[in-house]
Amino acid sequence: MAPHHVLRCCQRSLSWIPVIFINLIVGWSYYAYVVELCILTIPNNAEKVSYLVVFHLFFIMFIWSYWKTICSRPANPSKEFCLPKVEKEQYEKEEHPDTQQEILKKVVVGLPVYTRTGTGAVRYCDHCLVIKPDRCHHCSTCDMVNNCVGFSNYKFFVLFLAYSMLYCAFIAATVLQYFIKFWTNQLPDTHAKFHVLFLFFVAAMFFISILSLFSYHLWLVGKNRTTIEAFRAPVFRNGPDKNGFSLGFSRNMAEVFGDQKKYWMFPIYSSHGDGNSFVTRLVNLDPEQIAVGLQINGKRSFLVCFLSFPIQ
């Protein structure tokens, strides 16, 4: 147990290295832009003030969404997904996988769980000893059934990508003219030259890399798919269905960002659901799903209305 505990402490310590690195880069970019560019290099006061106002707007939203992303606690399965005491003892004593599956199938009847493994088995985490909610996976980094970027912070993560991209784009666009002037020796060779030149290269490089990632996640949101589902279609009782969770573009957006559009641009939690159940579109009709759907919403039997769980 002791070596495992030490290993976990080392893993947690190492996980802060990217956080420290990003904060150092952001801290330096703030100094380089505000002090070296705006205060020491730009001569026009109107230009200087306008740049600083817009810069700080993007900076605040970027930092806010970033810390909301890394500080939000991951969503864990509720207690109802744990095996009852009797079934848990039976499951642990049983050595045959088929019999273990029969035990899980009896328990899962009363749960909003409709996806299966590729072989059609009930998804169960032997490490955490819980039945996995749909779209939920065991995170090797957190060492539990959740994800570093998942249901509880996915909106914050998408906003973080958006504001970091805007932050880099604004810096690159406003620094460009002074980059050219320093590069062509139109401005005196001061210590600000290094900061301005390097700031442009870093901002442009991060913008290009973040743009592709942000575009990909916008596509995932529009399709209501997770990164895992983008490569492997979720398997329902009647087989795989890559569009099983898609509810149409507008509803897919609302699953992540919420119904009130005034909150979409702010890193404030507004997503649908609690991470334990979800809305699914019945492309492959399942009699059991239809029965549950009718109990929840008799007027719309083609939908099973549960809460969302867009784990990434």
Side-chain angles (χ1 to χ4, degrees):
M1 294 297 293
H4 178 73
H5 179 71
V6 173
L7 180 61
R8 290 296 301 158
C9 291
C10 292
Q11 288 177 337
R12 291 176 180 176
S13 299
L14 291 175
S15 66
W16 280 96
I17 293 179
V19 178
I20 296 173
F21 174 75
I22 291 175
N23 279 275
L24 288 175
I25 293 294
V26 173
W28 167 79
S29 69
Y30 183 91
Y31 166 78
Y33 191 90
V34 173
V35 178
E36 298 294 344
L37 177 68
C38 291
I39 296 178
L40 300 179
T41 303
I42 298 177
N44 187 284
N45 288 331
E47 181 184 7
K48 184 183 304 184
V49 171
S50 61
Y51 281 6
L52 286 173
V53 170
V54 179
F55 171 83
H56 280 91
L57 177 63
F58 287 140
F59 179 79
I60 291 172
M61 298 305 295
F62 164 61
I63 293 297
W64 186 8
S65 58
Y66 173 68
W67 281 101
K68 287 288 287 187
T69 300
I70 66 174
C71 293
S72 297
R73 294 180 60 85
N76 296 318
S78 60
K79 293 182 179 180
E80 63 178 336
F81 291 91
C82 299
L83 292 180
K85 184 177 181 180
V86 176
E87 284 77 4
K88 182 179 179 181
E89 293 177 353
Q90 293 175 350
Y91 182 88
E92 292 175 346
K93 292 178 181 179
E94 187 56 55
E95 297 180 356
H96 300 286
D98 292 340
T99 307
Q100 288 181 327
Q101 274 298 308
E102 291 300 321
I103 296 173
L104 295 177
K105 287 179 180 179
K106 292 179 181 178
V107 177
V108 83
V109 169
L111 297 175
V113 176
Y114 300 100
T115 56
R116 297 291 185 263
T117 65
T119 59
V122 175
R123 300 169 64 246
Y124 183 75
C125 182
D126 290 306
H127 185 83
C128 299
L129 304 178
V130 296
I131 295 173
K132 295 180 182 179
D134 292 342
R135 314 177 84 180
C136 181
H137 301 276
H138 185 96
C139 179
S140 58
T141 302
C142 299
D143 198 27
M144 60 181 65
V145 178
N146 60 46
N147 236 325
C148 295
V149 175
F151 172 81
S152 60
N153 65 350
Y154 187 53
K155 176 191 174 183
F156 307 145
F157 175 70
V158 175
L159 290 178
F160 160 66
L161 293 179
Y163 287 120
S164 59
M165 186 179 66
L166 291 173
Y167 179 74
C168 293
F170 177 78
I171 289 177
T174 53
V175 167
L176 179 59
Q177 61 171 315
Y178 296 97
F179 170 86
I180 296 174
K181 290 180 180 180
F182 273 120
W183 190 266
T184 57
N185 296 319
Q186 297 179 39
L187 288 175
D189 192 3
T190 63
H191 64 280
K193 180 177 180 179
F194 166 79
H195 292 282
V196 172
L197 295 180
F198 196 57
L199 184 61
F200 176 79
F201 281 120
V202 171
M205 178 185 66
F206 274 96
F207 171 78
I208 294 172
S209 60
I210 294 172
L211 177 62
S212 59
L213 183 61
F214 176 67
S215 301
Y216 175 65
H217 277 279
L218 278 186
W219 179 80
L220 289 177
V221 172
K223 295 290 185 179
N224 200 358
R225 296 178 189 172
T226 68
T227 51
I228 293 177
E229 292 164 1
F231 294 98
R232 184 177 66 248
V235 179
F236 294 86
R237 293 191 182 104
N238 289 339
D241 184 353
K242 64 179 182 180
N243 294 316
F245 298 120
S246 181
L247 308 171
F249 180 78
S250 59
R251 291 197 63 187
N252 291 343
M253 292 290 291
E255 286 292 298
V256 175
F257 294 100
D259 293 320
Q260 299 186 14
K261 294 184 179 180
K262 62 182 179 180
Y263 296 126
W264 281 20
M265 304 306 295
F266 298 96
I268 300 172
Y269 182 81
S270 58
S271 303
H272 286 175
D274 62 356
N276 288 301
S277 49
F278 61 94
V279 181
T280 178
R281 182 167 64 94
L282 296 181
V283 177
N284 295 318
L285 295 180
D286 185 330
E288 293 185 38
Q289 284 184 309
I290 293 176
V292 177
L294 287 171
Q295 292 176 10
I296 297 176
N297 191 346
K299 295 182 180 180
R300 304 183 69 181
S301 59
F302 58 89
L303 289 178
V304 179
C305 297
F306 293 110
L307 303 176
S308 64
F309 195 39
I311 286 290
Q312 297 297 318

